[in-house]
Amino acid sequence: MQATDVALLLIRVVLGGTMIAHGVNHWIGGGKIAGTARWFAGLGLRFSTVQAWASVVTEIGAGVALILGLLTPLACAAVISVMLVAALLAHRPNGFFVFKDGYEYVLVLAVFALAAAMLGPGALSVDHAAGITVTGWAGGATALVVAVVSTGLLLAVCLRREPDRQECEQVEAN
């Protein structure tokens, strides 16, 4: 067993576990789905309850796939996309530093996901066992292009110019 394979496993487990924790928190933590939907509506996203469920499924699914090392560039794309949406809509206006609710943390997660896509999952992964080897520039480009296109489509379809207070109130009433 190579040290590089263990290091890649550590990165996948920590990044994947973090994403699972985010998804579970959006699902059953704090405000549950209704609270997550209110938050998304407040950020200006339409279909906020659908957005809440989509974030839960994406975060948990990407986390599990990363831990397993399964379709790694696509799992990394999901992480990058979620972090890109968070950075653009929630954190960018607050500057860089996480202690001011800035984009520092989501940037680190996104860059680690991009690096993981480029490095590949290593020998301790389902991808390796299945002979899937999309790594290097191809892995990074796959993750980045899928993430940016997905984010762009999500924002094109779901972003309003101004948050819809009526939808926020409707979600809150449910």
Side-chain angles (χ1 to χ4, degrees), residues 154-167:
L154 175 103
L155 296 177
V157 171
C158 298
L159 186 64
R160 296 185 178 88
R161 292 203 179 267
E162 294 293 324
D164 185 351
R165 301 296 172 212
Q166 184 178 10
E167 184 176 355

Side-chain angles (χ1 to χ4, degrees), residues 49-73:
T49 301
V50 173
Q51 294 293 332
W53 279 111
S55 77
V56 166
V57 170
T58 301
E59 290 168 353
I60 293 173
V64 169
L66 274 170
I67 289 170
L68 294 174
L70 175 64
L71 303 174
T72 303

Side-chain angles (χ1 to χ4, degrees), residues 128-146:
H128 179 76
I132 300 170
T133 56
V134 182
T135 60
W137 293 115
T142 299
L144 195 56
V145 168
V146 169

Side-chain angles (χ1 to χ4, degrees), residues 4-76:
T4 303
D5 294 318
V6 174
L8 292 170
L9 177 63
L10 287 172
I11 290 168
R12 290 191 350 256
V13 167
V14 170
L15 187 56
T18 299
M19 294 309 297
I20 291 169
H22 275 270
V24 169
N25 187 59
H26 284 153
W27 180 19
I28 59 175
K32 299 184 173 45
I33 288 293
T36 301
R38 280 191 302 277
W39 183 62
F40 284 144
L43 293 174
L45 290 172
R46 286 183 261 217
F47 320 114
S48 58
T49 301
V50 173
Q51 294 293 332
W53 279 111
S55 77
V56 166
V57 170
T58 301
E59 290 168 353
I60 293 173
V64 169
L66 274 170
I67 289 170
L68 294 174
L70 175 64
L71 303 174
T72 303
L74 297 178
C76 292

